[in-house]
Amino acid sequence: WLCLAHFNMAEKISKIQEFLAHTDPVNCVTFGRKSGGLLATGGDDRKINIWAVGNPNALTSLTGNSAGVEVVQFDSQEEVVVAGLGSGGLRVWDLEQGKIARTLPGHTSNVRSIDFHPYGEFIASGSLDTTIKVWDVRRKGCIQTYKGHTEVVNCTRFSPDGRWIVSGSDDNTVKLWDLTAGKLLSEFSLHTGPITWLEFHPNEFLLATASADRTVKFLDLETFKMVSTSKVDSSRVRAMAFHPAGSALYTASQDMLRCHGWEPAACLDAVAVPWGHVHDMFARSEQSLLVASLSGSTVSLWNVNLDTINNDRSHPIDMPDIPVVRSAVSEPPAARLPPAAAAAISTKPPVRSNSSSSAPSAPAPAPA
């Protein structure tokens, strides 16, 4: 571990490229999670541009969106990309055909977050209208609407087993929704600022939440209690990614990369980085972490050499001692899924922890 201190910043983190992505300001950028080699950007020019990482020329430009593109996301196979628009609509694009496959109207204001269901043709979206919607792409319509947030929904994520949605808002709360029961499962009021990012652990019932309050919280999704919290960062945490093996969590603020452990809470490594407004972060392999940042019409891509970042929990650089705050739970009326959609969502077993503990499995969803 001590030899890691001999790596300088340039050896740990390198800029892959910087390029002009749109003619107007860029609002969003995301990596394709299957290959780690594709990038999508969306801008006020109403375009979605698709890029190969390392190539400054766009592979294709998708035009015809009715408003500025505020959020964009690939499906798991990188065959489809969905755009959330400033008008409140969603556009689903077939990348092979280069055409709009679906138009999904429904939100009454800007779409701010999107996620694809891991095992079906479902999309979750969060909006400035404070709602979360679940869409069946095949049926071309909304099959669930969740209400409960009081401010813009910045983050929506399906759980790895596809049975839950987690949402984070400017109202400082994180809400966990049961898809098959169609209702709120738990609410966490742990942060003192807007929620900026949510990330599920790849193989344990653990959720990391990041906030403008400059902290990260780790939540146990079996007990619905907080495991630990990080110390205050230098600025708001803008993006997070777990190590592919689940051994550590990487967080990016405007000027800092940190590596965190959670049981016990510890900062394992910290590197000052001049990347600015980070918008996406993706662990491409156990050796490579990709980061994308925005500035005006320009996108910058960075690579973090994970072999140079300490993730050994026996050698932390600090050990915060912050008291745990209990979560609050409420249950609004259920909004059940149609039977066919519930069956599709329930086809995969829940993710099991690979830890050596004897903790019980996650609670089974109630029947639709």
PDB file of all heavy atoms in Angstrom, residues 122-151:
ATOM      1  N   PHE A 122     -38.544  -1.716 -19.698  1.00  0.00           N
ATOM      2  CA  PHE A 122     -39.145  -0.709 -18.842  1.00  0.00           C
ATOM      3  C   PHE A 122     -38.131   0.408 -18.601  1.00  0.00           C
ATOM      4  O   PHE A 122     -36.925   0.166 -18.519  1.00  0.00           O
ATOM      5  CB  PHE A 122     -39.582  -1.309 -17.509  1.00  0.00           C
ATOM      6  CG  PHE A 122     -40.546  -2.451 -17.643  1.00  0.00           C
ATOM      7  CD1 PHE A 122     -40.096  -3.758 -17.556  1.00  0.00           C
ATOM      8  CD2 PHE A 122     -41.893  -2.215 -17.863  1.00  0.00           C
ATOM      9  CE1 PHE A 122     -40.974  -4.815 -17.675  1.00  0.00           C
ATOM     10  CE2 PHE A 122     -42.774  -3.273 -17.992  1.00  0.00           C
ATOM     11  CZ  PHE A 122     -42.324  -4.571 -17.900  1.00  0.00           C
ATOM     12  N   ILE A 123     -38.654   1.613 -18.485  1.00  0.00           N
ATOM     13  CA  ILE A 123     -37.837   2.794 -18.219  1.00  0.00           C
ATOM     14  C   ILE A 123     -38.438   3.516 -17.021  1.00  0.00           C
ATOM     15  O   ILE A 123     -39.661   3.618 -16.899  1.00  0.00           O
ATOM     16  CB  ILE A 123     -37.814   3.744 -19.441  1.00  0.00           C
ATOM     17  CG1 ILE A 123     -37.155   3.076 -20.648  1.00  0.00           C
ATOM     18  CG2 ILE A 123     -37.091   5.046 -19.105  1.00  0.00           C
ATOM     19  CD1 ILE A 123     -37.335   3.852 -21.937  1.00  0.00           C
ATOM     20  N   ALA A 124     -37.581   4.019 -16.142  1.00  0.00           N
ATOM     21  CA  ALA A 124     -38.014   4.895 -15.050  1.00  0.00           C
ATOM     22  C   ALA A 124     -37.508   6.296 -15.334  1.00  0.00           C
ATOM     23  O   ALA A 124     -36.376   6.483 -15.798  1.00  0.00           O
ATOM     24  CB  ALA A 124     -37.475   4.399 -13.711  1.00  0.00           C
ATOM     25  N   SER A 125     -38.335   7.288 -15.064  1.00  0.00           N
ATOM     26  CA  SER A 125     -37.938   8.675 -15.280  1.00  0.00           C
ATOM     27  C   SER A 125     -38.373   9.536 -14.111  1.00  0.00           C
ATOM     28  O   SER A 125     -39.416   9.304 -13.494  1.00  0.00           O
ATOM     29  CB  SER A 125     -38.548   9.217 -16.582  1.00  0.00           C
ATOM     30  OG  SER A 125     -39.966   9.157 -16.540  1.00  0.00           O
ATOM     31  N   GLY A 126     -37.554  10.533 -13.796  1.00  0.00           N
ATOM     32  CA  GLY A 126     -37.868  11.502 -12.759  1.00  0.00           C
ATOM     33  C   GLY A 126     -37.886  12.889 -13.357  1.00  0.00           C
ATOM     34  O   GLY A 126     -37.158  13.176 -14.313  1.00  0.00           O
ATOM     35  N   SER A 127     -38.688  13.775 -12.786  1.00  0.00           N
ATOM     36  CA  SER A 127     -38.948  15.053 -13.453  1.00  0.00           C
ATOM     37  C   SER A 127     -38.995  16.216 -12.489  1.00  0.00           C
ATOM     38  O   SER A 127     -39.152  16.056 -11.266  1.00  0.00           O
ATOM     39  CB  SER A 127     -40.283  14.943 -14.210  1.00  0.00           C
ATOM     40  OG  SER A 127     -40.732  16.193 -14.685  1.00  0.00           O
ATOM     41  N   LEU A 128     -38.917  17.402 -13.084  1.00  0.00           N
ATOM     42  CA  LEU A 128     -39.134  18.643 -12.357  1.00  0.00           C
ATOM     43  C   LEU A 128     -40.556  18.711 -11.822  1.00  0.00           C
ATOM     44  O   LEU A 128     -40.830  19.459 -10.874  1.00  0.00           O
ATOM     45  CB  LEU A 128     -38.852  19.830 -13.282  1.00  0.00           C
ATOM     46  CG  LEU A 128     -38.884  21.238 -12.712  1.00  0.00           C
ATOM     47  CD1 LEU A 128     -37.821  21.423 -11.636  1.00  0.00           C
ATOM     48  CD2 LEU A 128     -38.691  22.272 -13.822  1.00  0.00           C
ATOM     49  N   ASP A 129     -41.485  17.916 -12.387  1.00  0.00           N
ATOM     50  CA  ASP A 129     -42.860  17.906 -11.893  1.00  0.00           C
ATOM     51  C   ASP A 129     -43.010  17.105 -10.598  1.00  0.00           C
ATOM     52  O   ASP A 129     -44.124  16.925 -10.100  1.00  0.00           O
ATOM     53  CB  ASP A 129     -43.834  17.402 -12.965  1.00  0.00           C
ATOM     54  CG  ASP A 129     -43.641  15.929 -13.333  1.00  0.00           C
ATOM     55  OD1 ASP A 129     -42.948  15.200 -12.608  1.00  0.00           O
ATOM     56  OD2 ASP A 129     -44.196  15.515 -14.371  1.00  0.00           O
ATOM     57  N   THR A 130     -41.893  16.596 -10.053  1.00  0.00           N
ATOM     58  CA  THR A 130     -41.755  15.895  -8.764  1.00  0.00           C
ATOM     59  C   THR A 130     -42.222  14.442  -8.807  1.00  0.00           C
ATOM     60  O   THR A 130     -42.214  13.764  -7.778  1.00  0.00           O
ATOM     61  CB  THR A 130     -42.476  16.615  -7.594  1.00  0.00           C
ATOM     62  OG1 THR A 130     -43.898  16.429  -7.698  1.00  0.00           O
ATOM     63  CG2 THR A 130     -42.150  18.111  -7.571  1.00  0.00           C
ATOM     64  N   THR A 131     -42.599  13.903  -9.962  1.00  0.00           N
ATOM     65  CA  THR A 131     -43.072  12.520 -10.044  1.00  0.00           C
ATOM     66  C   THR A 131     -42.010  11.603 -10.639  1.00  0.00           C
ATOM     67  O   THR A 131     -41.080  12.043 -11.312  1.00  0.00           O
ATOM     68  CB  THR A 131     -44.340  12.403 -10.909  1.00  0.00           C
ATOM     69  OG1 THR A 131     -44.018  12.697 -12.279  1.00  0.00           O
ATOM     70  CG2 THR A 131     -45.426  13.335 -10.424  1.00  0.00           C
ATOM     71  N   ILE A 132     -42.179  10.304 -10.365  1.00  0.00           N
ATOM     72  CA  ILE A 132     -41.415   9.244 -11.023  1.00  0.00           C
ATOM     73  C   ILE A 132     -42.403   8.435 -11.848  1.00  0.00           C
ATOM     74  O   ILE A 132     -43.476   8.076 -11.355  1.00  0.00           O
ATOM     75  CB  ILE A 132     -40.714   8.317 -10.001  1.00  0.00           C
ATOM     76  CG1 ILE A 132     -39.767   9.112  -9.114  1.00  0.00           C
ATOM     77  CG2 ILE A 132     -39.968   7.194 -10.712  1.00  0.00           C
ATOM     78  CD1 ILE A 132     -40.314   9.341  -7.736  1.00  0.00           C
ATOM     79  N   LYS A 133     -42.069   8.160 -13.092  1.00  0.00           N
ATOM     80  CA  LYS A 133     -42.932   7.365 -13.959  1.00  0.00           C
ATOM     81  C   LYS A 133     -42.183   6.118 -14.424  1.00  0.00           C
ATOM     82  O   LYS A 133     -40.974   6.162 -14.672  1.00  0.00           O
ATOM     83  CB  LYS A 133     -43.423   8.175 -15.162  1.00  0.00           C
ATOM     84  CG  LYS A 133     -44.408   9.282 -14.790  1.00  0.00           C
ATOM     85  CD  LYS A 133     -44.929  10.013 -16.002  1.00  0.00           C
ATOM     86  CE  LYS A 133     -45.927  11.087 -15.597  1.00  0.00           C
ATOM     87  NZ  LYS A 133     -47.201  10.526 -15.095  1.00  0.00           N
ATOM     88  N   VAL A 134     -42.933   5.022 -14.547  1.00  0.00           N
ATOM     89  CA  VAL A 134     -42.409   3.781 -15.107  1.00  0.00           C
ATOM     90  C   VAL A 134     -43.118   3.555 -16.432  1.00  0.00           C
ATOM     91  O   VAL A 134     -44.354   3.611 -16.511  1.00  0.00           O
ATOM     92  CB  VAL A 134     -42.632   2.582 -14.171  1.00  0.00           C
ATOM     93  CG1 VAL A 134     -42.071   1.306 -14.788  1.00  0.00           C
ATOM     94  CG2 VAL A 134     -41.981   2.845 -12.810  1.00  0.00           C
ATOM     95  N   TRP A 135     -42.318   3.297 -17.482  1.00  0.00           N
ATOM     96  CA  TRP A 135     -42.832   3.182 -18.839  1.00  0.00           C
ATOM     97  C   TRP A 135     -42.602   1.773 -19.375  1.00  0.00           C
ATOM     98  O   TRP A 135     -41.532   1.201 -19.184  1.00  0.00           O
ATOM     99  CB  TRP A 135     -42.129   4.178 -19.762  1.00  0.00           C
ATOM    100  CG  TRP A 135     -42.101   5.579 -19.261  1.00  0.00           C
ATOM    101  CD1 TRP A 135     -41.198   6.133 -18.384  1.00  0.00           C
ATOM    102  CD2 TRP A 135     -43.009   6.625 -19.592  1.00  0.00           C
ATOM    103  NE1 TRP A 135     -41.486   7.449 -18.155  1.00  0.00           N
ATOM    104  CE2 TRP A 135     -42.591   7.791 -18.896  1.00  0.00           C
ATOM    105  CE3 TRP A 135     -44.122   6.706 -20.430  1.00  0.00           C
ATOM    106  CZ2 TRP A 135     -43.259   8.997 -18.996  1.00  0.00           C
ATOM    107  CZ3 TRP A 135     -44.787   7.910 -20.529  1.00  0.00           C
ATOM    108  CH2 TRP A 135     -44.365   9.049 -19.818  1.00  0.00           C
ATOM    109  N   ASP A 136     -43.602   1.238 -20.047  1.00  0.00           N
ATOM    110  CA  ASP A 136     -43.464   0.002 -20.802  1.00  0.00           C
ATOM    111  C   ASP A 136     -43.217   0.395 -22.251  1.00  0.00           C
ATOM    112  O   ASP A 136     -44.123   0.903 -22.929  1.00  0.00           O
ATOM    113  CB  ASP A 136     -44.732  -0.851 -20.673  1.00  0.00           C
ATOM    114  CG  ASP A 136     -44.589  -2.225 -21.300  1.00  0.00           C
ATOM    115  OD1 ASP A 136     -43.863  -2.343 -22.304  1.00  0.00           O
ATOM    116  OD2 ASP A 136     -45.211  -3.178 -20.806  1.00  0.00           O
ATOM    117  N   VAL A 137     -41.998   0.206 -22.723  1.00  0.00           N
ATOM    118  CA  VAL A 137     -41.628   0.671 -24.056  1.00  0.00           C
ATOM    119  C   VAL A 137     -42.433  -0.050 -25.126  1.00  0.00           C
ATOM    120  O   VAL A 137     -42.813   0.534 -26.140  1.00  0.00           O
ATOM    121  CB  VAL A 137     -40.113   0.489 -24.287  1.00  0.00           C
ATOM    122  CG1 VAL A 137     -39.729   0.909 -25.695  1.00  0.00           C
ATOM    123  CG2 VAL A 137     -39.319   1.293 -23.263  1.00  0.00           C
ATOM    124  N   ARG A 138     -42.719  -1.345 -24.908  1.00  0.00           N
ATOM    125  CA  ARG A 138     -43.471  -2.106 -25.904  1.00  0.00           C
ATOM    126  C   ARG A 138     -44.903  -1.595 -26.031  1.00  0.00           C
ATOM    127  O   ARG A 138     -45.453  -1.527 -27.131  1.00  0.00           O
ATOM    128  CB  ARG A 138     -43.475  -3.595 -25.542  1.00  0.00           C
ATOM    129  CG  ARG A 138     -42.102  -4.248 -25.586  1.00  0.00           C
ATOM    130  CD  ARG A 138     -42.101  -5.589 -24.873  1.00  0.00           C
ATOM    131  NE  ARG A 138     -42.405  -5.446 -23.449  1.00  0.00           N
ATOM    132  CZ  ARG A 138     -42.421  -6.436 -22.589  1.00  0.00           C
ATOM    133  NH1 ARG A 138     -42.154  -7.668 -22.998  1.00  0.00           N
ATOM    134  NH2 ARG A 138     -42.703  -6.227 -21.316  1.00  0.00           N
ATOM    135  N   ARG A 139     -45.498  -1.238 -24.898  1.00  0.00           N
ATOM    136  CA  ARG A 139     -46.875  -0.728 -24.925  1.00  0.00           C
ATOM    137  C   ARG A 139     -46.932   0.767 -25.211  1.00  0.00           C
ATOM    138  O   ARG A 139     -48.014   1.340 -25.335  1.00  0.00           O
ATOM    139  CB  ARG A 139     -47.554  -1.016 -23.585  1.00  0.00           C
ATOM    140  CG  ARG A 139     -47.694  -2.501 -23.274  1.00  0.00           C
ATOM    141  CD  ARG A 139     -48.423  -2.680 -21.966  1.00  0.00           C
ATOM    142  NE  ARG A 139     -48.571  -4.092 -21.618  1.00  0.00           N
ATOM    143  CZ  ARG A 139     -49.232  -4.522 -20.560  1.00  0.00           C
ATOM    144  NH1 ARG A 139     -49.783  -3.658 -19.725  1.00  0.00           N
ATOM    145  NH2 ARG A 139     -49.326  -5.817 -20.305  1.00  0.00           N
ATOM    146  N   LYS A 140     -45.771   1.380 -25.231  1.00  0.00           N
ATOM    147  CA  LYS A 140     -45.661   2.809 -25.556  1.00  0.00           C
ATOM    148  C   LYS A 140     -46.389   3.690 -24.548  1.00  0.00           C
ATOM    149  O   LYS A 140     -46.923   4.735 -24.902  1.00  0.00           O
ATOM    150  CB  LYS A 140     -46.190   3.092 -26.968  1.00  0.00           C
ATOM    151  CG  LYS A 140     -45.585   2.244 -28.067  1.00  0.00           C
ATOM    152  CD  LYS A 140     -46.166   2.608 -29.414  1.00  0.00           C
ATOM    153  CE  LYS A 140     -45.644   1.707 -30.524  1.00  0.00           C
ATOM    154  NZ  LYS A 140     -46.212   2.054 -31.837  1.00  0.00           N
ATOM    155  N   GLY A 141     -46.420   3.263 -23.291  1.00  0.00           N
ATOM    156  CA  GLY A 141     -47.139   4.077 -22.334  1.00  0.00           C
ATOM    157  C   GLY A 141     -46.627   3.964 -20.925  1.00  0.00           C
ATOM    158  O   GLY A 141     -45.821   3.095 -20.585  1.00  0.00           O
ATOM    159  N   CYS A 142     -47.136   4.862 -20.066  1.00  0.00           N
ATOM    160  CA  CYS A 142     -46.792   4.882 -18.650  1.00  0.00           C
ATOM    161  C   CYS A 142     -47.657   3.864 -17.917  1.00  0.00           C
ATOM    162  O   CYS A 142     -48.879   3.833 -18.093  1.00  0.00           O
ATOM    163  CB  CYS A 142     -47.025   6.282 -18.093  1.00  0.00           C
ATOM    164  SG  CYS A 142     -46.721   6.444 -16.328  1.00  0.00           S
ATOM    165  N   ILE A 143     -47.028   3.018 -17.108  1.00  0.00           N
ATOM    166  CA  ILE A 143     -47.768   1.993 -16.371  1.00  0.00           C
ATOM    167  C   ILE A 143     -47.796   2.263 -14.867  1.00  0.00           C
ATOM    168  O   ILE A 143     -48.567   1.633 -14.152  1.00  0.00           O
ATOM    169  CB  ILE A 143     -47.192   0.579 -16.639  1.00  0.00           C
ATOM    170  CG1 ILE A 143     -45.700   0.524 -16.313  1.00  0.00           C
ATOM    171  CG2 ILE A 143     -47.450   0.173 -18.080  1.00  0.00           C
ATOM    172  CD1 ILE A 143     -45.085  -0.868 -16.455  1.00  0.00           C
ATOM    173  N   GLN A 144     -46.966   3.186 -14.388  1.00  0.00           N
ATOM    174  CA  GLN A 144     -46.984   3.569 -12.979  1.00  0.00           C
ATOM    175  C   GLN A 144     -46.538   5.010 -12.848  1.00  0.00           C
ATOM    176  O   GLN A 144     -45.654   5.466 -13.580  1.00  0.00           O
ATOM    177  CB  GLN A 144     -46.045   2.702 -12.145  1.00  0.00           C
ATOM    178  CG  GLN A 144     -46.576   1.336 -11.779  1.00  0.00           C
ATOM    179  CD  GLN A 144     -45.607   0.597 -10.872  1.00  0.00           C
ATOM    180  OE1 GLN A 144     -44.404   0.807 -10.918  1.00  0.00           O
ATOM    181  NE2 GLN A 144     -46.134  -0.290 -10.040  1.00  0.00           N
ATOM    182  N   THR A 145     -47.135   5.720 -11.899  1.00  0.00           N
ATOM    183  CA  THR A 145     -46.672   7.050 -11.511  1.00  0.00           C
ATOM    184  C   THR A 145     -46.545   7.080  -9.999  1.00  0.00           C
ATOM    185  O   THR A 145     -47.499   6.718  -9.285  1.00  0.00           O
ATOM    186  CB  THR A 145     -47.643   8.147 -11.982  1.00  0.00           C
ATOM    187  OG1 THR A 145     -47.726   8.138 -13.407  1.00  0.00           O
ATOM    188  CG2 THR A 145     -47.154   9.520 -11.520  1.00  0.00           C
ATOM    189  N   TYR A 146     -45.382   7.458  -9.511  1.00  0.00           N
ATOM    190  CA  TYR A 146     -45.136   7.556  -8.074  1.00  0.00           C
ATOM    191  C   TYR A 146     -45.063   9.030  -7.667  1.00  0.00           C
ATOM    192  O   TYR A 146     -44.332   9.814  -8.278  1.00  0.00           O
ATOM    193  CB  TYR A 146     -43.838   6.859  -7.694  1.00  0.00           C
ATOM    194  CG  TYR A 146     -43.868   5.370  -7.889  1.00  0.00           C
ATOM    195  CD1 TYR A 146     -43.079   4.760  -8.865  1.00  0.00           C
ATOM    196  CD2 TYR A 146     -44.674   4.557  -7.105  1.00  0.00           C
ATOM    197  CE1 TYR A 146     -43.100   3.393  -9.053  1.00  0.00           C
ATOM    198  CE2 TYR A 146     -44.703   3.187  -7.284  1.00  0.00           C
ATOM    199  CZ  TYR A 146     -43.917   2.606  -8.254  1.00  0.00           C
ATOM    200  OH  TYR A 146     -43.942   1.251  -8.429  1.00  0.00           O
ATOM    201  N   LYS A 147     -45.836   9.370  -6.637  1.00  0.00           N
ATOM    202  CA  LYS A 147     -45.856  10.728  -6.114  1.00  0.00           C
ATOM    203  C   LYS A 147     -45.455  10.708  -4.650  1.00  0.00           C
ATOM    204  O   LYS A 147     -45.812   9.795  -3.926  1.00  0.00           O
ATOM    205  CB  LYS A 147     -47.256  11.331  -6.267  1.00  0.00           C
ATOM    206  CG  LYS A 147     -47.726  11.436  -7.716  1.00  0.00           C
ATOM    207  CD  LYS A 147     -49.135  12.009  -7.808  1.00  0.00           C
ATOM    208  CE  LYS A 147     -49.595  12.105  -9.243  1.00  0.00           C
ATOM    209  NZ  LYS A 147     -50.974  12.654  -9.361  1.00  0.00           N
ATOM    210  N   GLY A 148     -44.734  11.702  -4.227  1.00  0.00           N
ATOM    211  CA  GLY A 148     -44.290  11.767  -2.833  1.00  0.00           C
ATOM    212  C   GLY A 148     -43.201  12.794  -2.629  1.00  0.00           C
ATOM    213  O   GLY A 148     -43.110  13.400  -1.560  1.00  0.00           O
ATOM    214  N   HIS A 149     -42.356  12.998  -3.647  1.00  0.00           N
ATOM    215  CA  HIS A 149     -41.354  14.056  -3.552  1.00  0.00           C
ATOM    216  C   HIS A 149     -42.031  15.424  -3.681  1.00  0.00           C
ATOM    217  O   HIS A 149     -43.089  15.554  -4.323  1.00  0.00           O
ATOM    218  CB  HIS A 149     -40.295  13.898  -4.644  1.00  0.00           C
ATOM    219  CG  HIS A 149     -39.337  12.764  -4.398  1.00  0.00           C
ATOM    220  ND1 HIS A 149     -38.464  12.754  -3.339  1.00  0.00           N
ATOM    221  CD2 HIS A 149     -39.125  11.607  -5.089  1.00  0.00           C
ATOM    222  CE1 HIS A 149     -37.742  11.645  -3.385  1.00  0.00           C
ATOM    223  NE2 HIS A 149     -38.128  10.930  -4.421  1.00  0.00           N
ATOM    224  N   THR A 150     -41.409  16.425  -3.101  1.00  0.00           N
ATOM    225  CA  THR A 150     -41.950  17.784  -3.164  1.00  0.00           C
ATOM    226  C   THR A 150     -41.116  18.712  -4.022  1.00  0.00           C
ATOM    227  O   THR A 150     -41.492  19.868  -4.235  1.00  0.00           O
ATOM    228  CB  THR A 150     -42.065  18.378  -1.750  1.00  0.00           C
ATOM    229  OG1 THR A 150     -40.769  18.387  -1.133  1.00  0.00           O
ATOM    230  CG2 THR A 150     -43.028  17.568  -0.900  1.00  0.00           C
ATOM    231  N   GLU A 151     -39.965  18.206  -4.522  1.00  0.00           N
ATOM    232  CA  GLU A 151     -39.104  18.993  -5.406  1.00  0.00           C
ATOM    233  C   GLU A 151     -38.666  18.111  -6.576  1.00  0.00           C
ATOM    234  O   GLU A 151     -39.021  16.925  -6.652  1.00  0.00           O
ATOM    235  CB  GLU A 151     -37.873  19.515  -4.643  1.00  0.00           C
ATOM    236  CG  GLU A 151     -38.189  20.424  -3.459  1.00  0.00           C
ATOM    237  CD  GLU A 151     -38.705  21.790  -3.869  1.00  0.00           C
ATOM    238  OE1 GLU A 151     -38.562  22.141  -5.068  1.00  0.00           O
ATOM    239  OE2 GLU A 151     -39.254  22.503  -3.007  1.00  0.00           O
TER     240      GLU A 151
END
